[in-house]
Amino acid sequence: MSLRPVLSQSPAQPTMEGAGVKLHRAFGFTDPTMLDPFLLFDDFRNDREEDFIKGFPWHPHRGIETITYVLSGSVEHGDSLGNHGTLGAGDVQWMTAGSGILHQEMPTGNAQGQMHGFQLWGNLPSSLKMTAPRYQDVKGTEIPEVIDDDGTRVKVIVGEFWGKNGPVDGIAANPQYLDVFVPAGVKKTFKIDTYRRAFAYVFEGSAAFADASQPAGVLLEKEVMGEEVNIRDMSGDRTLVRFGTGDEVTVQAGPEGARFLLISGAPIDEPVAWHGPIVMNTRDELIQAVQDLQNGTFIKPAH
Ligand code: CO
């Protein structure tokens, strides 16, 4: 057993996307190798309609997968291939853009006017960048939840965890995407295979991610709910926690418990050429994508 060190904890940064949606970006558009195979993570939780209602009108994607997880409110989705649908609270859409789609994503608030959710971008390897587009729309009720004796609850969205398999499959990076709740004061260890790159994103309460393998100089000794753990800091709402190499992570929930996403995947380790919602391996492929958009050949006929 080796504990994954905490490489960094950082707050998601406020930014604006789409037609004027306020969101918090945990990572993206900086160093694409940092969390390879993941490129970007946006937290679009908003409690005021004017901060999200303009949505994300028609835009292209190529070479990546986008994973949308709705917690409250709904997102109406439509694309150039004739696919459309609505994601409600608890639902997940795993979209493999592959060779290309043009789509729009339009949010609607819940009864209180709130819209809560996340979007993750996963990279595709060169062999799959031009694969046929594919959607996996998953209802919240289809997502298995495992509940431990200590009250820990884990929704298994993708991958295998504690004997349950998430409903999304066929993804290149073999990701694991978990929605975890750990009750107040409970300390919990989660296995994550060594070959994976891993991060957590805290979105309710707070947690201390144990960090025993850091050099002593950067450790802080803190008392968390009566038990001493080596931590850098407590991670609160909207904190990205990046893990180093190892085969498990340990977390201790703060006084209100902690809810966080725990996401990992196999690095692709290829060159990245990135232009907005299009992510390829080379600059020539980006130029080709832009030309395809300009001359109307971006959408490839179904094979
Ligand atoms: Co999009």
Side-chain angles (χ1 to χ4, degrees), residues 56 59-61 66 95 103 105 119 121:
F56 306 88
H59 59 277
H61 287 288
T66 68
M95 183 192 78
H103 77 165
E105 301 158 286
Q119 189 169 81
W121 289 11

mmCIF file of all heavy atoms in Angstrom, residues 56 59-61 66 95 103 105 119 121, ligand 1:
data_model
loop_
_atom_site.group_PDB
_atom_site.id
_atom_site.type_symbol
_atom_site.label_atom_id
_atom_site.label_comp_id
_atom_site.label_asym_id
_atom_site.label_seq_id
_atom_site.Cartn_x
_atom_site.Cartn_y
_atom_site.Cartn_z
ATOM 1 N N PHE A 56 -25.002 27.520 -23.455
ATOM 2 C CA PHE A 56 -23.885 27.265 -24.358
ATOM 3 C C PHE A 56 -24.454 26.978 -25.746
ATOM 4 O O PHE A 56 -24.689 25.837 -26.110
ATOM 5 C CB PHE A 56 -23.067 26.066 -23.859
ATOM 6 C CG PHE A 56 -22.599 26.201 -22.433
ATOM 7 C CD1 PHE A 56 -23.393 25.773 -21.372
ATOM 8 C CD2 PHE A 56 -21.363 26.769 -22.149
ATOM 9 C CE1 PHE A 56 -22.967 25.904 -20.051
ATOM 10 C CE2 PHE A 56 -20.932 26.907 -20.836
ATOM 11 C CZ PHE A 56 -21.741 26.470 -19.785
ATOM 12 N N HIS A 59 -21.880 25.126 -30.758
ATOM 13 C CA HIS A 59 -20.413 25.133 -30.827
ATOM 14 C C HIS A 59 -19.929 23.742 -31.219
ATOM 15 O O HIS A 59 -20.640 22.763 -31.019
ATOM 16 C CB HIS A 59 -19.802 25.583 -29.493
ATOM 17 C CG HIS A 59 -20.179 24.729 -28.318
ATOM 18 N ND1 HIS A 59 -21.357 24.890 -27.631
ATOM 19 C CD2 HIS A 59 -19.560 23.685 -27.722
ATOM 20 C CE1 HIS A 59 -21.430 23.996 -26.656
ATOM 21 N NE2 HIS A 59 -20.361 23.240 -26.693
ATOM 22 N N PRO A 60 -18.737 23.642 -31.791
ATOM 23 C CA PRO A 60 -18.213 22.337 -32.229
ATOM 24 C C PRO A 60 -17.382 21.657 -31.139
ATOM 25 O O PRO A 60 -16.917 22.315 -30.202
ATOM 26 C CB PRO A 60 -17.304 22.728 -33.394
ATOM 27 C CG PRO A 60 -16.775 24.079 -33.002
ATOM 28 C CD PRO A 60 -17.849 24.754 -32.177
ATOM 29 N N HIS A 61 -17.235 20.354 -31.254
ATOM 30 C CA HIS A 61 -16.211 19.616 -30.491
ATOM 31 C C HIS A 61 -15.599 18.579 -31.416
ATOM 32 O O HIS A 61 -16.312 17.974 -32.231
ATOM 33 C CB HIS A 61 -16.820 18.856 -29.306
ATOM 34 C CG HIS A 61 -17.238 19.706 -28.159
ATOM 35 N ND1 HIS A 61 -16.343 20.327 -27.316
ATOM 36 C CD2 HIS A 61 -18.467 20.038 -27.703
ATOM 37 C CE1 HIS A 61 -17.006 20.996 -26.383
ATOM 38 N NE2 HIS A 61 -18.310 20.857 -26.592
ATOM 39 N N THR A 66 -16.833 14.890 -23.646
ATOM 40 C CA THR A 66 -17.298 15.791 -22.597
ATOM 41 C C THR A 66 -18.277 15.024 -21.714
ATOM 42 O O THR A 66 -19.135 14.295 -22.206
ATOM 43 C CB THR A 66 -17.980 17.063 -23.150
ATOM 44 O OG1 THR A 66 -19.219 16.707 -23.782
ATOM 45 C CG2 THR A 66 -17.096 17.783 -24.138
ATOM 46 N N MET A 95 -20.422 12.203 -23.633
ATOM 47 C CA MET A 95 -20.438 12.408 -25.070
ATOM 48 C C MET A 95 -19.033 12.225 -25.636
ATOM 49 O O MET A 95 -18.109 12.924 -25.236
ATOM 50 C CB MET A 95 -20.930 13.818 -25.403
ATOM 51 C CG MET A 95 -21.031 14.033 -26.905
ATOM 52 S SD MET A 95 -21.275 15.755 -27.341
ATOM 53 C CE MET A 95 -19.625 16.402 -27.172
ATOM 54 N N HIS A 103 -23.040 21.170 -31.284
ATOM 55 C CA HIS A 103 -24.164 21.015 -30.361
ATOM 56 C C HIS A 103 -24.409 22.269 -29.540
ATOM 57 O O HIS A 103 -23.629 23.213 -29.564
ATOM 58 C CB HIS A 103 -23.979 19.780 -29.470
ATOM 59 C CG HIS A 103 -23.010 19.954 -28.340
ATOM 60 N ND1 HIS A 103 -22.951 19.074 -27.282
ATOM 61 C CD2 HIS A 103 -22.068 20.880 -28.093
ATOM 62 C CE1 HIS A 103 -22.015 19.463 -26.438
ATOM 63 N NE2 HIS A 103 -21.471 20.536 -26.894
ATOM 64 N N GLU A 105 -25.965 23.343 -25.476
ATOM 65 C CA GLU A 105 -26.282 22.857 -24.142
ATOM 66 C C GLU A 105 -26.928 24.024 -23.401
ATOM 67 O O GLU A 105 -26.266 25.009 -23.100
ATOM 68 C CB GLU A 105 -24.981 22.417 -23.439
ATOM 69 C CG GLU A 105 -24.231 21.322 -24.183
ATOM 70 C CD GLU A 105 -22.741 21.251 -23.833
ATOM 71 O OE1 GLU A 105 -21.975 22.135 -24.292
ATOM 72 O OE2 GLU A 105 -22.351 20.326 -23.115
ATOM 73 N N GLN A 119 -18.904 19.886 -15.732
ATOM 74 C CA GLN A 119 -18.494 19.297 -16.999
ATOM 75 C C GLN A 119 -16.996 19.021 -16.987
ATOM 76 O O GLN A 119 -16.185 19.896 -16.674
ATOM 77 C CB GLN A 119 -18.855 20.165 -18.199
ATOM 78 C CG GLN A 119 -18.607 19.395 -19.505
ATOM 79 C CD GLN A 119 -19.187 20.067 -20.735
ATOM 80 O OE1 GLN A 119 -18.593 20.988 -21.289
ATOM 81 N NE2 GLN A 119 -20.363 19.618 -21.157
ATOM 82 N N TRP A 121 -13.779 17.378 -19.336
ATOM 83 C CA TRP A 121 -13.335 17.014 -20.682
ATOM 84 C C TRP A 121 -12.265 15.941 -20.548
ATOM 85 O O TRP A 121 -11.279 16.129 -19.822
ATOM 86 C CB TRP A 121 -12.732 18.202 -21.429
ATOM 87 C CG TRP A 121 -13.727 19.251 -21.839
ATOM 88 C CD1 TRP A 121 -15.037 19.346 -21.442
ATOM 89 C CD2 TRP A 121 -13.485 20.356 -22.706
ATOM 90 N NE1 TRP A 121 -15.620 20.439 -22.027
ATOM 91 C CE2 TRP A 121 -14.689 21.075 -22.811
ATOM 92 C CE3 TRP A 121 -12.370 20.809 -23.404
ATOM 93 C CZ2 TRP A 121 -14.812 22.228 -23.582
ATOM 94 C CZ3 TRP A 121 -12.478 21.953 -24.180
ATOM 95 C CH2 TRP A 121 -13.687 22.656 -24.265
HETATM 96 CO CO CO B 1 -20.051 21.465 -25.592
#
